[in-house]
């Protein structure tokens, strides 16, 4: 029987359980995917704790993204075949040996990726693409400051920002993370704690400041970012793993700046054309070898709590994947 990680009570990663379940017969319009890997995302951790905006009814299986092979197709589903390698997009449910989904939730797995890379691709790189292209509208020659550049979404922003012609300043908490960011295209590295990052950004930009700030951290990081921005800067709010930041309106006004919230998934649900264009561009870059998730850890499905802790304790560089079978 297939297995899945099940959340029966809201709480810490250690409260999640590995359980067996019975496969359900396909309904019209459905596809079964044998999952080979699933990506760990912060929203999965928050969802299991009851702290995310989406609150599934208990019990549920976490997991926003997975990758695997199509194993069964309803008779009314055209255009795909058993054995096709695919990425699966979900709200939750990916931490399982198999999932049943609609064809619209499937994306071809880039030929250059393995399953773990496919399962850690679209959430982070999709968020970075939406942030920099749709929200930040970054232009060639502008300076991009990426916070949390050693994380999955941060490294994705480094890669995509460089592809879009920006000068990229990567800020991270360790030299090891900065080294990976430089490998992915960062022009400059700033180590938190070595000096105030706002001073480093001003030095690197000859006092002008950053044109675009990509911030998945929040808290004081966001507030200090307002003090090292150029005129007309765009501050992209990706998340708040370091707490809720406060936008001082006088600083926003003085710099003619914009503070922009980034919700890539919701934007695509409201306007599917945005999502289609995003995925097409990301797949083209992936096939050309220009972008690739950095999967620093791969753990078996049963070790989901340890995998989640790698994220919460900031031990991962890039992404963490669960592997099945």
């Amino acid at each position: 029987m297939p297995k899945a990680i099940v959340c029966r009570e809201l709480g810490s990663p250690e409260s999640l359980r590995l359980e067996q379940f019975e496969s359900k017969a396909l309904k019209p319009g459905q596809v079964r995917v044998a999952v080979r890997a699933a990506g760990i995302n912060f929203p999965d951790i928050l969802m299991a704790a009851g702290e995310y905006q989406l609150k599934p009814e208990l019990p549920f299986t976490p997991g926003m993204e997975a990758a695997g092979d199509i194993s069964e197709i309803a008779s009314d589903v055209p255009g795909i075949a058993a054995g096709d390698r695919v990425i699966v997009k979900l709200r939750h449910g990916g931490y399982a040996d198999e999932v049943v989904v609609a064809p619209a939730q499937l994306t071809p797995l880039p030929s250059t990726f393995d399953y773990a890379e496919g399962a850690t691709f679209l959430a982070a790189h999709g968020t970075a693409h939406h942030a920099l292209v749709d929200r930040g509208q970054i232009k060639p020659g502008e300076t991009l400051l990426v916070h949390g550049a050693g994380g999955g979404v941060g490294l994705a922003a480094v890669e995509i920002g460089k592809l879009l012609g920006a000068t990229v300043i990567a800020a991270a908490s360790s030299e090891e993370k900065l080294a990976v960011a430089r490998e992915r295209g960062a022009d400059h590295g700033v180590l938190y704690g070595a000096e105030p990052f706002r001073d480093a950004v001003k030095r690197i930009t000859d006092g002008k400041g950053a044109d675009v700030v990509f911030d998945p951290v929040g808290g004081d990081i966001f507030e200090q970012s307002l003090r090292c921005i150029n005129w007309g800067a765009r501050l992209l709010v990706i998340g708040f793993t370091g707490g809720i930041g406060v936008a001082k309106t006088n600083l926003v006004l003085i710099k003619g700046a914009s503070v922009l919230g980034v919700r890539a998934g919701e934007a695509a649900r409201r306007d599917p054309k945005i999502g289609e264009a995003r995925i097409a561009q990301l797949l083209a870059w992936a096939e050309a070898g220009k972008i690739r998730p950095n999967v620093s850890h791969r753990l078996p499905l049963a070790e989901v709590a340890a995998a989640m802790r790698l994220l919460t304790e900031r031990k991962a560089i890039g992404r963490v994947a669960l592997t099945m079978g």
Side-chain angles (χ1 to χ4, degrees):
M1 293 176 67
K3 297 182 177 65
I5 297 299
V6 180
C7 178
R8 294 192 174 276
E9 57 181 274
L10 301 177
S12 69
E14 287 72 22
S15 65
L16 298 171
R17 295 289 178 264
L18 181 65
E19 300 181 7
Q20 291 184 323
F21 68 95
E22 291 189 11
S23 297
K24 295 181 180 179
L26 291 187
K27 297 178 181 178
Q30 291 186 328
V31 177
R32 191 185 316 277
V33 178
V35 176
R36 307 301 185 194
I40 301 281
N41 288 281
F42 271 107
D44 302 330
I45 301 168
L46 295 174
M47 210 177 293
E51 297 173 359
Y52 194 60
Q53 53 258 33
L54 176 63
K55 293 179 169 55
E57 183 178 340
L58 294 172
F60 72 92
T61 292
M64 297 172 57
E65 56 181 344
D69 305 307
I70 293 176
S71 58
E72 187 180 358
I73 309 161
S75 59
D76 62 339
V77 176
I80 54 178
D84 285 354
R85 291 165 26 111
V86 293
I87 296 171
V88 189
K89 298 169 289 180
L90 304 141
R91 303 299 298 279
H92 56 84
Y95 296 174
D97 287 333
E98 66 176 45
V99 293
V100 174
V101 297
Q105 294 174 258
L106 303 177
T107 299
L109 182 72
S111 62
T112 54
F113 285 6
D114 63 24
Y115 292 113
E117 290 167 334
T120 56
F121 180 43
L122 290 182
H125 280 78
T127 295
H129 184 280
H130 177 58
L132 298 176
V133 174
D134 302 320
R135 302 296 281 153
Q137 298 181 11
I138 197 163
K139 303 174 185 66
E142 290 191 314
T143 297
L144 168 65
L145 170 60
V146 178
H147 287 298
V153 71
L155 279 175
V158 168
E159 283 189 325
I160 292 174
K162 194 62 183 173
L163 280 173
L164 295 173
T167 296
V168 180
I169 303 173
S173 59
S174 73
E175 290 290 0
E176 187 180 9
K177 291 178 179 179
L178 287 178
V180 176
R182 289 190 181 96
E183 290 172 4
R184 297 304 171 112
D187 299 283
H188 306 278
V190 174
L191 180 65
Y192 295 130
E195 69 174 310
F197 75 81
R198 69 181 196 182
D199 294 345
V201 170
K202 288 180 179 178
R203 184 185 71 251
I204 291 167
T205 61
D206 294 325
K208 293 179 181 178
D211 299 295
V212 178
V213 178
F214 184 94
D215 182 15
V217 181
D220 188 59
I221 293 290
F222 174 80
E223 294 175 21
Q224 293 303 314
S225 294
L226 284 163
R227 301 181 182 277
C228 61
I229 52 175
N230 198 359
W231 170 260
R234 288 85 75 201
L235 293 99
L236 303 170
V237 180
I238 315 301
F240 29 84
T241 59
I244 305 298
V246 176
K248 299 290 181 65
T249 53
N250 62 318
L251 299 176
V252 175
L253 183 151
I254 288 168
K255 290 292 187 176
S258 301
V259 178
L260 301 164
V262 176
R263 291 191 65 193
E266 185 64 22
R269 283 186 284 274
R270 291 174 179 264
D271 185 355
K273 290 183 179 179
I274 287 179
E276 291 167 7
R278 179 195 308 160
I279 288 176
Q281 179 66 84
L282 291 175
L283 290 178
W285 280 337
E287 288 292 349
K290 294 180 178 179
I291 55 176
R292 178 186 297 274
N294 190 80
V295 185
S296 66
H297 296 80
R298 303 166 188 235
L299 286 79
L301 182 62
E303 295 182 25
V304 62
M308 287 181 164
R309 289 299 179 194
L310 288 169
L311 258 67
T312 60
E313 296 172 7
R314 307 290 191 271
K315 293 179 179 177
I317 301 180
R319 302 301 308 276
V320 176
L322 296 172
T323 57
M324 289 69 167

